[in-house]
Amino acid sequence: MLLKRWLVGDPLKSAQAVHERLPKTLALAVFSSNAISSVAYATEEILLMLILAGTAAISWSMPISFAILFLIVVLTISYRQIVYEYPEGGGAYIVARTNLGDQPALIAAAALMIDYVLTVAVSVAAGISALTSAVPSLFEHREALGLGATIFIIIINLRGVRESGTFFAVPTYFAIGALGVMVVIGSIHALFGQGGSVPPDDQTAVEELTLFLILRAFAAGCSAVTGMEVISNGVKAFRRPEPQNASTTMIYMSLILAALFMGISFLAAHHGILPKTDETVVSQLARLTFGSGALYYTLQIGTMLLLILAANSAFAGFPQLASILARDRYMPRQMATFGDRLVFSNGIIILGIFACFLLVLFHGDPHALIPLYAVGVFISFTLSQAGMVRRWLTKKGPHWQTKLVVNGIGAVTTGVATIILASTKFTQGAWIVFLLIAILVWMFRSIRSHYKAVSEQVALTRDHRPPLPRRNIVLVPINGVNQAVIRAVDYARSRPGEVRAVMVDVDPQATARIQIQWAQWGCGIQLTVLPCPYRSVLSSLLDYVEDLLNKEPDTWVTVVIPEILPARWWHNILHNQRALMLKASLLFKDRVILTDVPFHLKR
Amino acid sequence: MLLKRWLVGDPLKSAQAVHERLPKTLALAVFSSNAISSVAYATEEILLMLILAGTAAISWSMPISFAILFLIVVLTISYRQIVYEYPEGGGAYIVARTNLGDQPALIAAAALMIDYVLTVAVSVAAGISALTSAVPSLFEHREALGLGATIFIIIINLRGVRESGTFFAVPTYFAIGALGVMVVIGSIHALFGQGGSVPPDDQTAVEELTLFLILRAFAAGCSAVTGMEVISNGVKAFRRPEPQNASTTMIYMSLILAALFMGISFLAAHHGILPKTDETVVSQLARLTFGSGALYYTLQIGTMLLLILAANSAFAGFPQLASILARDRYMPRQMATFGDRLVFSNGIIILGIFACFLLVLFHGDPHALIPLYAVGVFISFTLSQAGMVRRWLTKKGPHWQTKLVVNGIGAVTTGVATIILASTKFTQGAWIVFLLIAILVWMFRSIRSHYKAVSEQVALTRDHRPPLPRRNIVLVPINGVNQAVIRAVDYARSRPGEVRAVMVDVDPQATARIQIQWAQWGCGIQLTVLPCPYRSVLSSLLDYVEDLLNKEPDTWVTVVIPEILPARWWHNILHNQRALMLKASLLFKDRVILTDVPFHLKR
């Protein structure tokens, strides 16, 4: 407990909740690091696809980058409308649920959940790549480094929202600044003809430059826009007026994202940079711009921090989504409970476990994770935009036609992108995502139908009448006379009513001795000795209880079990095995109630 | 439960126990298969050591075999005296305990336990070797085959003693017969100059033929006498008069063992057979004697069955030893309880698990297990014989001088053999056995001292007085009004006394609604609403209970928890998480007693 307190801090009162709201500067760091950090790998992923068709094909990188810029613009404009329309937080799940119905909403929720996990895994893996580009000797430890970073983020998040915000703001702004400086200086050099260039390194084509390959490159680049939806999920975390603050933050985020992404793509194309296994494209660019001195290392560290901290936005979003689902009974109830730091601790822990699992499974390699990535995000983008289209058509309201057109363009654009992503990545691993979405949706529905079945079964109807009082026969099974047994008997008679001690006659000598002791210590309670034909104490007791239940069809039977509670947990193997078996056998008898009376051992 | 019944049969009454006694013919099969089966590998192990000094060194195998024959004779004569002196079963533990004291007894018990486990592993592994000698294509599956055979024996043993006896008698006698025929025919051929011979296959020496190597070969051959002590452990399982029957059976066993072992050693030496990786020595001998026809396969199958079934004698001995230790409180109490087939089910299961573990660890290779083997047995031999020497010195009685000499020779012989075994095998793995013996002895002592501490803590002394009746305040924490809650309230008021329903005010609206429902359904029981400053239902309840305990220093506080009992166990993740936390928090409060009132869901 002390360790937990030290790691996650003291519990907060409910009344403190409003102070946990984030000002814009902190919110930008918490919510947009995900989207902005993807500039560290998006350009590289495009190049990795194009290079399959040889060095010449990389001239396609700029047209593809412009297509992605168009996506950024469309998403920003259409998501602003969602932020205003859903000030309580309008994730794809909420928007789809209120406008399109259950099934699309659950698909959106499943897709988002999967992508939250992937965001953590991809961001951490890419962050470690930034580190190993600068310090190649760490390359072989990237899996362990990734796990360490993830666990660090989990602990930070269990500490609570605001502290995480502060903690994350400094490195986020630091990295944005460093990348910005690189893009600006690099562009000045490029436009005025200065700066180094990469030695020509012709690679032979392994594929033809087909339309399919270009679409695959576009799909890979779509990882740049992942995370843009995070703000719309978390509107409630902003200071008042929430929608305005969230919307402004979103525009800042998009501007930074667009500028950095286009700048890096432009510089990479200008210098003819090719992706390498052991060094990232951004690292190569930084070496060209800054040389291999302090500035280079500063930028790599900044990029690494930005990426690792980007995983944090998923830690803000995932538990919130899980708790919304839990409120709608699509997830286990405990996901909805606040942890004592006012954050959804359960969700944080589950997200962390799954992300660590992915990091281990894919050996911390970001390129191996990318084919799974972004498909889920684009499914949820499309469902939100389609939901908004439906909303304007039914709700109308001021300027609804304009809004309809905006979200309509959003829906069509993201829909087309989703189809491209799904078809080009399907065999590379996207099928796993579709399978997982199906499984999650089935799970959500099963959980809800179970809760529904339960509430029907426990519901009180008009036909029910308050029950009439019933008798309660209390049994205390004993196998000797000692303090633990006397304590149980003392408890059993603490309320008036019928109490019987029962013992099984395994060994007649012992039975006779216990009967004599009982006369002195038994508090005047009757001791029943049960025969034991099968040498099984358990079955003799069960037979007796069964008889009693049959003879007294309307009473409760309470079995008070004297139990030794050892001072050390592993001493349990030396005690209470019989009590455990008795309890397991009686658990499913309808009118039998079990009560342990623990006797606490000191040593 | 049905599966269990089908696998292990119906429970037996205590009165049937006497009929479970074994006649001599069955007892020979059950108790001596261990000792006799070792002829299948003992000669081979001697040769495997000698061959290290080149082909010429194997001429030493006959002298070594005669030394082991001497051991067999000494052990038979001296163990007969133990059987008569300890008709209740005189394992090394009992003999050492009554004559030498605790520490030697516990060492003997630990040594025996380890060797029971090794007996199962070595016998099964050697049995599978007999099979793979005949069918080489199965060689790569020997680990899986060994595990399968072990599990088979576990199930057979859980069915009970007599059935196992019958089950094991036929193949045991069959194998003894087949090996006997081979030795007789082979010897006739050898003496009259007929029969094939193995093609000369000179192997270069990797070690010099030192005294140490010869002692190592002797130590390896000592595996032949393992299992000779099993009968003395199980005298009680014989028909009346137990000592005479056990003693006679022991002599038969020794005769068969000596004849087969010396015969195989003689034939192997005569034909100059060398050990091979993929074929056992017995298999090579059988091919020479019978050719590769049906008789050869009959013998291999017989040997395999004998070896696999030999593991059974450990399954008869280990649980018996464990239960004796449990009666003396050196093992957990449940080891002493009869399972419902009158066998010590717990012991059987534990032995089976450890043996499977060893088979997996050593990949089912008998030669890898042999260095660990026999050390433990010889330690226990020496301790029993030393115990008997001490016994005759103190007890005296008729002919005590003769008896003293017999056991004295036994003690010295086995003592010398133990020193040879320990010193030659120490670095090959015997150190593990010594380490395990130390750990087990420590464990035995810890368990006993824990039980002693417990019985002191629960003991009733003269100072104790029967307790005066105390009050009992019953709390029912609720979070709504439904059938499960009403059931708990109904139970709580089934005995007169003070009952309070308590709820935590998380959401004022819900609280108001529940209070209205309570008026109708609450059976007139007072509902206390607790404030909830930290949004934690748990801590509010705990604070309330704590207050109550402080205000009422002499009452019991019973917390009656309405609990949903799902129809399927995995539904538990969707329920009762809060109840679980509450119970965990209240478990260690001294005067608080927890009672679950389960509400059984149908679906």
Side-chain angles (χ1 to χ4, degrees), chain B residues 224-342:
Chain B
V225 305
T226 54
M228 288 192 64
E229 80 290 356
V230 175
I231 286 180
S232 72
N233 275 313
V235 182
K236 261 205 314 197
F238 283 82
R239 291 221 175 126
R240 295 198 178 89
E242 293 93 347
Q244 281 79 353
N245 283 327
S247 164
T248 313
T249 308
M250 186 144 190
I251 288 172
Y252 287 138
M253 178 187 82
S254 299
L255 287 175
I256 296 169
L257 169 63
L260 291 180
F261 171 67
M262 293 309 291
I264 289 170
S265 287
F266 164 68
L267 289 176
H270 179 79
H271 294 296
I273 283 176
L274 302 179
K276 292 183 189 174
T277 316
D278 53 351
E279 187 173 11
T280 63
V281 165
V282 170
S283 166
Q284 295 181 57
L285 270 183
R287 270 192 221 276
L288 274 177
T289 314
F290 298 139
S292 287
L295 269 173
Y296 165 74
Y297 285 103
T298 307
L299 182 107
Q300 285 306 106
I301 289 170
T303 311
M304 178 192 75
L305 290 178
L306 178 67
L307 277 160
I308 292 184
L309 303 187
N312 186 55
S313 72
F315 278 94
F318 180 95
Q320 212 141 9
L321 177 59
S323 101
I324 295 171
L325 286 169
R327 268 209 320 263
D328 289 345
R329 306 229 153 162
Y330 288 117
M331 289 278 277
R333 220 169 323 189
Q334 64 264 32
M335 300 296 293
T337 13
F338 275 102
D340 56 0
R341 286 290 293 183
L342 307 184

Side-chain angles (χ1 to χ4, degrees), chain B residues 572-591:
Chain B
N572 273 307
I573 199 172
L574 303 175
H575 295 287
N576 306 328
Q577 303 294 328
R578 201 169 277 175
L580 205 66
M581 305 246 282
L582 185 62
K583 286 191 279 186
S585 316
L586 290 173
L587 186 61
F588 289 93
K589 299 216 183 287
D590 191 37
R591 285 175 288 127

Side-chain angles (χ1 to χ4, degrees), chain A residues 50-254:
Chain A
L50 292 175
I51 201 74
L52 293 175
T55 323
I58 62 164
S59 61
W60 274 94
S61 73
M62 280 316 287
I64 290 171
S65 298
F66 275 108
I68 288 162
L69 179 63
F70 173 69
L71 264 180
I72 295 174
V73 173
V74 168
L75 283 168
T76 309
I77 298 172
S78 38
Y79 259 100
R80 273 183 49 134
Q81 295 192 166
I82 295 181
V83 165
Y84 278 102
E85 198 67 14
Y86 287 93
E88 284 292 295
Y93 169 72
I94 301 274
V95 176
R97 187 160 162 73
T98 44
N99 300 302
L100 300 175
D102 281 6
Q103 189 64 19
L106 292 180
I107 292 173
L112 276 174
M113 285 202 145
I114 293 166
D115 260 4
Y116 279 129
V117 175
L118 281 163
T119 298
V120 176
V122 168
S123 301
V124 168
I128 299 301
S129 290
L131 176 67
T132 58
S133 294
V135 191
S137 63
L138 292 175
F139 188 75
E140 57 176 320
H141 303 297
R142 56 184 180 161
E143 194 174 330
L145 290 168
L147 283 180
T150 310
I151 291 165
F152 178 71
I153 301 172
I154 292 171
I155 292 172
I156 293 294
N157 271 279
L158 289 174
R159 287 192 72 91
V161 178
R162 212 200 9 218
E163 281 177 40
S164 315
T166 322
F167 191 90
F168 284 70
V170 177
T172 303
Y173 285 120
F174 170 71
I176 292 172
L179 285 164
V181 168
M182 182 187 80
V183 167
V184 169
I185 294 181
S187 302
I188 292 170
H189 286 185
L191 293 175
F192 296 95
Q194 291 175 318
S197 92
V198 174
D201 173 20
D202 264 343
Q203 283 188 251
T204 41
V206 293
E207 286 190 28
E208 281 200 59
L209 183 68
T210 54
L211 176 63
F212 185 74
L213 188 72
I214 292 171
L215 291 178
R216 270 175 76 189
F218 168 75
C222 280
S223 54
V225 304
T226 54
M228 288 191 64
E229 81 290 357
V230 173
I231 287 181
S232 72
N233 276 314
V235 183
K236 261 204 316 198
F238 283 82
R239 293 222 175 124
R240 294 197 180 87
E242 294 94 345
Q244 282 78 355
N245 283 327
S247 164
T248 312
T249 309
M250 187 145 188
I251 287 171
Y252 287 138
M253 178 187 83
S254 299

